[in-house]
Amino acid sequence: MPELPEVEVTRQGVTPHLIDQQVTALTVRNASLRWPVPDIAQQIVGQTIRNIRRRAKYLLIDTDAGTTIVHLGMSGSLRVVCGSTPVEKHDHIDLALANGKVLRFNDPRRFGAWLWCELPEEAHPLLSKLGPEPLKDEFNPAYLEQALKNKKKAIKLCLMDNHIVVGVGNIYANEALFAAGVHPEMEAGKVDNERLTVLVTEVKQILANAIRQGGTTLKDFTNAEGKPGYFAQKLHVYGRGGETCTQCGNLLSEIKLGQRATVFCGLCQTK
């Protein structure tokens, strides 16, 4: 599943092609995504795209009439193509623009979503209870300490809880906890402020680095390869269970937490 950095780079990639463009047509070839795609052609055709934002892993395409909420799901991707570009398998949705380009949504597994929301979109059930963005000032040590107060759940599970902070998926939670020296199974409420300060800093830095790398790795969203995937970056723990720790040489341990693979160093990361 694309993580926050991949979704953010997708936003950055498609924005120059969409901003201030009038929507001329909406074609839905398969409405059976995670939720049925609503019939919104009447609302969106003729509207001008004012902004493309990201909230957690959702992309928000703003018009004066309302907002289209897009989620890439597990296998979805967006690319900008010429209107004459042949349709490929799993190209489920086209948003045609006055400049002759098309925002095309491809999703083989159909766990993605295209939904419509009248303003203000913050009231939408998918968005209303989300925690702060990890790269914004609202996500800080004081906030996190209060959010984790008395919580007995493992710190890694809390870090991946979108009600506490959005967009810190499995890959980046593993990496941030390693960088901060915090054991993933540690009770969240017992992580002191000093370690929370380091953890917040590492979350921000790791996500920001991934976004920067993605911005240089995948610049062109106007071809058939407009799929962000996971950026090729050095991962210290994720996917390396049983290998040696990059810091101390100890063998990395791998367990399941919340049904997700969790890799850590028993020496560098303490409870």
Side-chain angles (χ1 to χ4, degrees), residues 163-179:
H163 296 97
I164 295 175
V165 57
V166 300
V168 185
N170 195 35
I171 294 175
Y172 300 109
N174 274 278
E175 293 298 309
L177 288 166
F178 174 77

Side-chain angles (χ1 to χ4, degrees), residues 171-234:
I171 294 175
Y172 300 109
N174 274 278
E175 293 298 309
L177 288 166
F178 174 77
V182 178
H183 196 290
E185 291 183 302
M186 185 176 182
E187 284 188 23
K190 292 184 178 179
V191 184
D192 60 40
N193 184 264
E194 181 178 353
R195 300 178 86 184
L196 287 178
T197 298
V198 177
L199 182 57
V200 167
T201 299
E202 293 297 343
V203 167
K204 290 177 181 289
Q205 182 171 308
I206 288 170
L207 290 173
N209 285 343
I211 291 169
R212 280 193 294 270
Q213 184 177 11
T216 58
T217 303
L218 185 65
K219 294 179 179 178
D220 189 1
F221 273 74
T222 62
N223 60 35
E225 300 303 319
K227 295 184 179 182
Y230 292 116
F231 305 137
Q233 56 190 301
K234 183 175 182 181

